[in-house]
Amino acid sequence: MPIKSYIAWPAPDKAASLESDLLQIPGCQLLRAENRDLLLLVTDTPDDPAEDALLQRLEALDSLQCLSLVAAVSEQEAAA
C-alpha cells in the first residue's frame, strides 16, 4: 500500500477550490499551511495501479498548479 506525501500549490485564486476538490477524492488527507497558500496532501492507496489512477486524477485538477512529491513509502519498505 503506497503512502505518499505531497505539497500541493493551488492555481491562482483557487485555494478553496483545490481544498474542496482534494477532499472529495478517496484516499486523500489534507493539512493546510497557516502562513502560505498551499496544502500538504497525504495519499494512501491499496496498490500501485490505484496509486497511478489517483495521480492521474490529481494531475487533471484545474485548481492544482503544482504537485511536489515529498516522501513515499511502499508496503515492502515498511515491512523491512
Side-chain angles (χ1 to χ4, degrees):
M1 107 173 51
I3 299 172
K4 296 184 178 181
S5 61
Y6 301 89
I7 296 176
W9 282 270
D13 302 318
K14 299 276 187 171
S17 179
L18 178 59
E19 185 173 350
S20 175
D21 291 344
L22 293 174
L23 287 173
Q24 293 177 27
I25 300 174
C28 291
Q29 297 181 353
L30 294 176
L31 295 169
R32 286 179 223 97
E34 293 181 14
N35 61 345
R36 301 266 170 143
D37 203 11
L38 57 89
L39 300 166
L40 175 63
L41 171 65
V42 178
T43 63
D44 185 359
T45 52
D47 52 34
D48 288 332
E51 178 63 31
D52 293 340
L54 175 61
L55 187 56
Q56 288 179 358
R57 188 169 177 187
L58 293 172
E59 291 173 345
L61 294 175
D62 291 333
S63 57
L64 180 66
Q65 179 176 347
C66 180
L67 188 66
S68 180
L69 179 65
V70 176
V73 177
S74 68
E75 190 171 340
Q76 294 87 1
E77 292 172 332

